[in-house]
Amino acid sequence: MPDMSLKKVRMPEQDPEIRSGNFKEVALGYDDEMAVSEANRCLHCKTRPCVAGCPVNVQIPEFIKLVSQGDFEGAYAKIRETNSLPAICGRVCPQESQCEQLCVRGKKGEPVGIGRLERFVADWYMANRENVVNAVERNGKKVAVIGSGPAGLTCAGDLAKKGYEVTIFEAFHVPGGVLMYGIPEFRLPKALVQKEIESVRSLGVKIMTNMVIGKVLSLAELEEEGYQAIFIGSGAGLPSFMGIPGENLNGVYSANEFLTRINLMKAYKFPEYDTPVRVTESVAVIGGGNVAMDAARCARRLGAKNVYIVYRRSEAEMPARLEEVHHAREEGIIFKLLTNPTRIIGTDDGWVKGMECIEMELGEPDASGRRRPVAKKGSEHMLDVQTVVVAIGQSPNPLIKSTTPGLETHKWGGIIVEEETGSTSLDGVYAGGDAVTGAATVILAMGAGKKAAKAIDEYLSNEE
């Protein structure tokens, strides 16, 4: 009989006062007993609604049943049938708006902790088993993948399993894309990311770093080198700014630069790693998404006493995951909601000394469906900060578009693709993830990579 407890088995966490001073992982994960107990809450519905909510089609009831039986190795094998990066997905997927949102147990109480169980299974396997890869006969066809983020890794892994010779071209010196430069160590340990990448490499995928496609090689040159299909998964690394006075002052960062310095270049270990980040006593982070929460929580860990999230709408409209908002509040982040910056004030020598803001109120819904913020006259006020991080979104870098004649993009930079296949305006060229959608979630990027791999396989098979 299923365990009909209305609440998930609690996930152990670091104490907020302790964790706000270190970069160790916040959530500590289930042990064997906790995992089996949580797995026993699953009803194993015949309709399996949770699977419909998973962008990579993990067979959720099946793997959870194996966990309930104590067969953790079998559960891992079941997940890996469709998901190449389970340890990552178990940590950063927004399960609450995907698989767990559709869980029947959520109608009366909390849904089954699907993400927590996926994380447990992946961590258990990494700790207790060697990665075993079945040999695949190569078909002699070459595919190039641009970008080693979640979309690129998924596409490359799926194609390698089908026998293709896949090479990933990564612009940075370390593979992983947003998994390495965008998500903090306390949410996603980098050693774990590299282990997941090694599991993709073990399939025969080659990864070439420091390869800025559009600079080092063009798409046309990749085709000349014998690549019969190309997948563009280059992400969205071009930061957006507000266009307000003072954004060019010293002490103003884009969230991309701030997080890349901290995560990929290990500024949090300065001076052991020679990549400093200037974090002052008071820091303002502009934005309300997951990236804003990450930046604010990093600033807190780097020693800032007062860290403000400055967001022009209310908490109800905030796009960040509830878990991230909850953790940020626990760690002492101060939320300045219904507040919008109007200018950043500088010192005589060009550094930030404050930010002028205005209070907002919510009006009628805009095109996004969220209520439009409207400024309150006479509510201008100063926020005493010396560092500002702008986290209001990012778009795809135009480098590939500018060096690839015929590649059609939206005005805002996203590559235009056919929805079902990820095919672009160029024959044999596919795209997916943030390069197409703009900044989105890891699991949606993985879903796009999986879809494109299937389409590339069909394209090259038909060509034959």
Side-chain angles (χ1 to χ4, degrees):
M1 288 289 291
D3 178 350
M4 298 308 293
S5 171
L6 296 181
K7 289 190 175 293
K8 297 176 182 177
V9 174
R10 184 179 174 277
M11 174 83 84
E13 295 179 349
Q14 279 197 76
D15 180 270
E17 288 192 15
I18 296 172
R19 74 184 190 230
S20 61
N22 66 56
F23 274 80
K24 295 177 183 177
E25 198 165 9
V26 170
L28 303 178
Y30 283 160
D31 61 22
D32 295 17
E33 185 178 343
M34 291 173 178
V36 171
S37 181
E38 181 60 28
N40 281 326
R41 294 184 64 237
C42 180
L43 300 177
H44 303 288
C45 315
K46 290 183 179 179
T47 54
R48 305 160 79 247
C50 52
V51 178
C54 177
V56 296
N57 200 40
V58 170
Q59 301 302 291
I60 294 167
E62 286 85 348
F63 101 73
I64 289 179
K65 185 174 183 178
L66 290 165
V67 173
S68 71
Q69 296 169 347
D71 184 3
F72 307 143
E73 186 170 0
Y76 180 80
K78 177 57 66 175
I79 295 171
R80 280 297 299 258
E81 287 177 4
T82 58
N83 184 354
S84 301
L85 309 170
I88 292 169
C89 290
R91 285 168 166 81
V92 302
C93 273
Q95 292 97 2
E96 68 278 4
S97 62
Q98 295 178 159
C99 53
E100 291 185 18
Q101 185 180 49
L102 300 178
C103 177
V104 172
R105 290 301 307 269
K107 293 180 179 179
K108 291 183 180 180
E110 294 181 349
V112 175
I114 298 168
R116 297 177 181 185
L117 290 172
E118 183 174 35
R119 167 187 167 152
F120 165 78
V121 168
D123 288 359
W124 182 93
Y125 188 87
M126 284 184 178
N128 293 280
R129 296 289 184 273
E130 292 292 328
N131 189 40
V132 177
V133 180
N134 296 322
V136 177
E137 185 178 346
R138 298 294 161 202
N139 58 25
K141 296 179 181 179
K142 294 172 63 178
V143 179
V145 172
I146 302 171
S148 64
L153 289 171
T154 301
C155 183
D158 281 14
L159 287 170
K161 289 176 185 176
K162 295 177 183 292
Y164 291 92
E165 295 178 19
V166 185
T167 302
I168 296 176
F169 296 88
E170 167 56 43
F172 279 137
H173 61 288
V174 174
V178 70
L179 304 171
M180 288 298 293
Y181 70 75
I183 303 175
E185 180 79 9
F186 55 81
R187 281 216 293 136
L188 184 62
K190 304 310 164 205
L192 181 148
V193 174
Q194 291 305 310
K195 278 188 177 181
E196 292 276 55
I197 292 171
E198 285 307 311
S199 72
V200 174
R201 268 199 174 108
S202 70
L203 297 171
V205 174
K206 297 176 185 176
I207 302 178
M208 297 182 67
T209 56
N210 300 309
M211 296 294 289
V212 182
I213 300 302
K215 280 281 189 184
V216 179
L217 289 172
S218 66
L219 263 63
E221 288 170 324
L222 287 175
E223 291 173 348
E224 289 172 6
E225 290 192 5
Y227 291 99
Q228 293 152 280
I230 297 171
F231 174 75
I232 304 172
S234 49
L238 187 67
S240 299
F241 286 90
M242 295 187 68
I244 60 175
E247 282 186 313
N248 60 342
L249 287 166
N250 295 318
V252 178
Y253 293 90
S254 70
N256 288 50
E257 179 188 356
F258 189 70
L259 291 172
T260 299
R261 281 176 169 268
I262 292 169
N263 298 331
L264 183 62
M265 303 172 78
K266 296 184 173 63
Y268 66 93
K269 291 187 175 182
F270 181 81
E272 179 186 343
Y273 285 82
D274 190 18
T275 310
V277 167
R278 181 177 184 267
V279 172
T280 52
E281 182 171 291
S282 296
V283 176
V285 178
I286 304 170
N290 290 327
V291 173
M293 300 302 141
D294 287 344
R297 295 172 70 195
C298 281
R300 179 74 167 159
R301 284 162 168 76
L302 288 172
K305 292 182 180 178
N306 305 306
V307 182
Y308 302 96
I309 288 283
V310 181
Y311 182 58
R312 63 183 185 146
R313 290 183 165 97
S314 73
E315 188 166 337
E317 287 78 31
M318 196 174 276
R321 293 182 68 186
L322 294 177
E323 180 180 70
E324 301 310 314
V325 175
H326 171 68
H327 282 158
R329 284 194 188 281
E330 284 188 330
E331 292 164 12
I333 306 302
I334 303 162
F335 284 71
K336 302 283 286 185
L337 303 174
L338 290 169
T339 302
N340 201 38
T342 54
R343 64 181 177 132
I344 302 170
I345 312 298
T347 61
D348 291 340
D349 58 352
W351 290 89
V352 174
K353 72 171 182 180
M355 188 166 73
E356 185 180 88
C357 301
I358 190 167
E359 292 179 16
M360 311 295 284
E361 55 190 0
L362 296 180
E364 295 300 314
D366 61 14
S368 71
R370 296 180 295 175
R371 294 172 65 191
R372 186 187 303 276
V374 180
K376 281 186 185 179
K377 290 183 179 179
S379 64
E380 293 85 354
H381 59 282
M382 287 293 297
L383 198 59
D384 181 19
V385 295
Q386 305 83 43
T387 302
V388 175
V389 181
V390 183
I392 60 170
Q394 53 268 4
S395 57
N397 191 301
L399 181 59
I400 290 178
K401 158 65 178 174
S402 65
T403 57
T404 310
L407 183 64
E408 294 181 2
T409 63
H410 297 283
K411 288 183 179 179
W412 53 269
I415 300 171
I416 297 172
V417 300
E418 199 280 317
E419 187 175 350
E420 293 302 313
T421 63
S423 60
T424 69
S425 54
L426 299 176
D427 187 44
V429 178
Y430 297 76
D434 291 1
V436 169
T437 61
T441 63
V442 167
I443 192 65
L444 288 177
M446 291 176 63
K450 182 171 285 291
K451 178 171 62 179
K454 181 174 182 291
I456 289 170
D457 179 46
E458 292 173 354
Y459 167 77
L460 292 178
S461 297
N462 290 336
E463 192 177 61
E464 186 178 84

